Amino acid sequence: MKKLPENLSPNNFEWGCATSSFQIEGGTTAGGRVATIWDDFCAQPGRIKDASDGSVACDHFHRYAGDVKLMADLGFKHYRFSIAWARVVNADNTVNMAGIDFYSRLLDELAKYDITPNATLFHWDLPSHLEGGWLNRDTAYRFADYTALVAERLGDRLPRVATLNEPWCSAFLGYDLGVFAPGHKNRESSLSVAHHLMLAHGLGIQAWRSRLSQTSLGIVLNPELCDPLTTKPEDVQAAKMAEYERNDSFLNPLFGREWPSMLLDQMGSSLSDRQAGDLAITSEPLDFIGLNYYTRSIARAPSSSEDAKRGYTFVPPDAADKTKQLTDIGWEIYPEGLKRVVNNLTQNWPLPPIWITENGAADNTPVINGSCDDDMRCSYITQHLEKMSELIAEGTDIRGYYVWSLLDNFEWAHGYSERFGVVHVDFETQVRTPKKSALMVKALLKS
Ligand code: FCB
């Protein structure tokens, strides 16, 4: 791609890069920040592939000014980041001004370069002291308190705010599969966890809107596109179950709809915590929806008693299958999926305007003689841009694209072993080196 298609031109389309607090900030005890479930999870042996943690990460807490300058140099005019709840709220629910001050200085720096902030309030780093975490309905009310506090202290400088990032990961990776913090394996609880997250979202929207009416408010989801392994009815059914879990569990409450009966039948016993009126809260009107897209999944009928509880077994892409191209983390490169999943969603739910809030690839190409030729990432990004441009041309209301990520960072359970940045980070020296993909994006934004 030499030139951006007209409908992706930065003159009329929002172009940015994305990060999240725990993945880049470090400084996990600085300024009175309280511990989070991810600090705790990292401290448990065997949880993180390279036994690393977020205590330093990209040291963005101290280097934010340089990082903002870097994004400005690369031509980004929009920046999606998350605010760490644990930095701005003390354990006794009072405001931590040192944390507010950090984000205030970050916003000053962004303003200096005319970069518009796009904030997410919760990107998985839940304060540990909230007893029971998302199993506890009360956490949703604490989230609303936190939201109100951010609205009051920083809100007039935040034009666009998402409540949650990818609540499916919090609920199902965190409480069913146990591969993300807090590491629980209790499938039965995950739908009520999902409910508490969506309740938090709705209460958060109410808390913010009652204080500031001009902010554009939404949520960020990672919708699933799941294809069956074969055309056998049991595989088709399995793929459907995976999509119900990942999509309908969150999109239905957002639009005031009951969960699909098949999910309720599967998980129904755990839903005693839902109260009358909850659906009206979870379906507060949205100004936008953020969608993160990386890959598709393939499912087959459950192949173990463990998976029988879920109704599907995922079939990871086979690295030996030459018909498929994989990124370094093993995810299939499937740009057509962006179109298919967005079309599925717009056909089934009355979506507000869409922002693609994350898209990118793990490409672990090293820096050699000062340059990093991450050709796979370059091609991944351009192929997805082409599909997004087609979607817009076909009438889908997509208003922005954020590449994940500005920097190589702490990739959750993979630690620092998978690199998603368009800028390389040497974690020994903290030296940042823009990769070929960053220079490609810079050239495209100029074109
Ligand atoms: C998404 C997360 C983001 C990052 C990418 C690779 O699911 O939102 O933090 O880890 O995956």
Side-chain angles (χ1 to χ4, degrees), residues 19-20 23 80 123-124 165-166 169 173 180 220 222 246 292 294 329 331 358 360-362 404-405 409-412 420:
T19 64
S20 89
Q23 292 179 276
R80 173 173 181 247
H123 200 124
W124 310 347
N165 177 71
E166 301 188 357
C169 294
L173 296 181
F180 273 17
V220 172
N222 54 330
R246 180 105 147 229
N292 296 346
Y294 290 91
I329 202 170
W331 299 351
E358 287 180 27
W404 183 272
S405 174
N409 59 45
F410 177 78
E411 181 45 39
W412 307 112
F420 275 89

